[in-house]
Amino acid sequence: MMNARTIRVALSSAVVLLLVNLISAAVAHDYALGELKIVRPWTHATPTGATTGVAYMSLTNTGSVPIRLTGASTPAAQRVEIHMMSVEGGVMRMRLVPGFDIAPGATVELEPGGMHLMLVGLNRQLHQEDAIPLTLAFGNGATISIDLHVEAIGGGPSAHNH
Amino acid sequence: MRTARLVALTAVSLLIALTLIARLGVWDALFPPSIPTFGASMVRPFNLTDTNGHKVTEHDMLGRPAVVFFGFTYCPEVCPTTLADLTNWLAELGPDADRLGVFFVSVDPARDTPTELGKYLSSFDPRIRGLTGNAADIDGIAKAFGIYYQRVEIEGGGYTMDHTASVLLLDSSGRFAGTISYQEAKEVAVAKLKRLAHSADGA
Ligand SMILES: [Cu+2]
């Protein structure tokens, strides 16, 4: 027999649990390296046998000098390339770029339909909810290891929100 | 003597220009296939292979409305996203989905063998039929459908493909019935497919 008190306790624990989950989800996906903030790095799950993957994130430079991303690597793929992608006039085009600058105060978004890191020669299938380690390398020689959160194929935190 | 040299020079330059146009896809880059007009007949005879190694011809694409997407399995974003979208849209359509023929045509037949393509498509709705073939046959169907595709070398090895990212819709007679663009809102895409699925009702 559920009385009012039991219900109240159950409800408030549910709220607390939800908050804890939300906060840890937000914290777990953000990183900082000096003046650089890396927010929500993620990737898509890959189809069976897929040889390529992507990495998306938001990079914000809170400092006063430009920061240059020069490369990345992951144990999950042979190599990681920085790609500029566009869909214009219904045609998807993708080009390799050697790196890019994040100007002081600026945010660079790596996101579907735009720039991404491409994981070339995947050696494993990426499954939803996995964490894929990725190391980013910067022009000043600094590196940082982060985890990509694997979202559903075609899904993702910022996809299809229009 | 001078005239002869001039003629020879002109001939050689012409030959070089023609070779460049033909070999490097300059023509396609200058004049990308345009978007077809509604009702235009799209389907030309073709010979392709599905993921079970069975022959597929234009007759398999006619008789019911078709949904056709061109891509390749080495594609990091647009193709898996569109195939996942198609999977969701077909689920949303329910029984109406069975009125449609759904095709994924490879623009990278060199790497997309029937086996590789089959493995890749096993992650999506089984009603999506994968088609591949030899380079000439792929080129034929792409041209007929107004699909742009171009191999792009990647510095340091490998290559990728630029290609049309829209899904093509054809009525049951193989006439152009619209497109669904990349990242089109789900409701819009499903509405288009529903209309397409019932387009043969009155006929
Ligand atoms: Cu890419």
Side-chain angles (χ1 to χ4, degrees):
Chain A
M1 197 53 197
M2 282 256 245
N3 58 32
R5 197 186 135 80
T6 323
I7 293 171
R8 211 161 38 229
V9 169
L11 271 177
S12 47
S13 353
V15 167
V16 167
L17 256 173
L18 189 73
L19 281 174
V20 166
N21 279 332
L22 282 175
I23 292 166
S24 63
V27 169
H29 296 152
D30 297 349
Y31 299 84
L33 175 66
E35 325 262 51
L36 179 71
K37 285 203 156 41
I38 303 160
V39 177
R40 215 146 48 158
W42 65 281
T43 181
H44 286 300
T46 52
T48 315
T51 56
T52 58
V54 280
Y56 303 113
M57 65 198 72
S58 164
L59 299 160
T60 300
N61 182 353
T62 61
S64 52
V65 287
I67 298 172
R68 184 170 182 78
L69 182 78
T70 53
S73 62
T74 172
Q78 275 167 21
R79 63 178 194 274
V80 178
E81 297 172 350
I82 305 168
H83 283 185
M84 192 64 228
M85 197 195 96
S86 66
V87 181
E88 270 167 44
V91 175
M92 183 278 289
R93 294 172 205 276
M94 200 164 68
R95 293 293 177 273
L96 184 75
V97 292
F100 58 83
D101 285 326
I102 309 148
T107 296
V108 173
E109 302 282 355
L110 307 183
E111 60 188 354
M115 196 145 53
H116 58 240
L117 303 181
M118 184 153 140
L119 318 185
V120 182
L122 280 183
N123 51 38
R124 47 170 293 197
Q125 187 170 8
L126 310 186
H127 295 284
Q128 196 170 349
E129 298 303 323
D130 279 359
I132 307 300
L134 181 84
T135 302
L136 300 173
F138 297 92
N140 60 4
T143 61
I144 182 172
S145 291
I146 62 175
D147 278 341
L148 300 169
H149 186 252
V150 184
E151 308 279 349
I153 303 179
S158 61
H160 299 257
N161 52 4
H162 48 253
Chain B
M1 193 59 201
R2 273 183 77 148
T3 325
R5 204 191 295 165
L6 200 70
V7 168
L9 211 74
T10 314
V12 168
S13 338
L14 255 173
L15 206 70
I16 291 172
L18 284 174
T19 311
L20 281 179
I21 285 170
R23 294 295 297 271
L24 297 179
V26 173
W27 185 265
D28 286 344
L30 288 176
F31 305 102
S34 51
I35 294 162
T37 44
F38 278 86
S41 180
M42 306 287 284
V43 179
R44 308 259 179 287
F46 64 78
N47 261 302
L48 297 172
T49 307
D50 73 8
T51 53
N52 296 317
H54 295 133
K55 271 210 156 331
V56 177
T57 71
E58 68 279 9
H59 300 295
D60 298 286
M61 221 174 253
L62 298 168
R64 58 180 179 163
V67 178
V68 192
F69 179 63
F70 287 73
F72 66 118
T73 69
Y74 278 59
C75 174
E77 181 191 305
V78 169
C79 307
T81 299
T82 302
L83 290 168
D85 285 348
L86 274 168
T87 298
N88 294 333
W89 300 337
L90 292 176
E92 188 82 14
L93 278 176
D96 278 347
D98 294 323
R99 294 164 165 252
L100 303 168
V102 188
F103 301 91
F104 178 67
V105 185
S106 172
V107 293
D108 185 14
R111 293 188 295 202
D112 293 341
T113 61
T115 312
E116 289 305 314
L117 196 57
K119 231 196 289 175
Y120 191 81
L121 288 175
S122 70
S123 295
F124 304 100
D125 190 299
R127 289 170 290 193
I128 304 172
R129 202 160 170 201
L131 305 183
T132 185
N134 67 41
D137 286 329
I138 292 293
D139 199 55
I141 188 171
K143 288 249 159 64
F145 283 21
I147 296 297
Y148 173 82
Y149 71 107
Q150 179 67 51
R151 177 178 162 142
V152 178
E153 304 300 323
I154 295 279
E155 204 181 313
Y159 65 93
T160 178
M161 303 295 297
D162 290 351
H163 64 94
T164 300
S166 307
V167 175
L168 280 185
L169 308 178
L170 307 176
D171 70 13
S172 55
S173 312
R175 287 175 306 210
F176 180 71
T179 60
I180 298 174
S181 41
Y182 181 53
Q183 290 186 327
E184 182 117 41
K186 186 181 182 181
E187 315 78 69
V188 179
V190 170
K192 285 181 179 179
L193 292 177
K194 203 164 206 86
R195 204 179 319 132
L196 186 72
H198 287 279
S199 63
D201 285 358

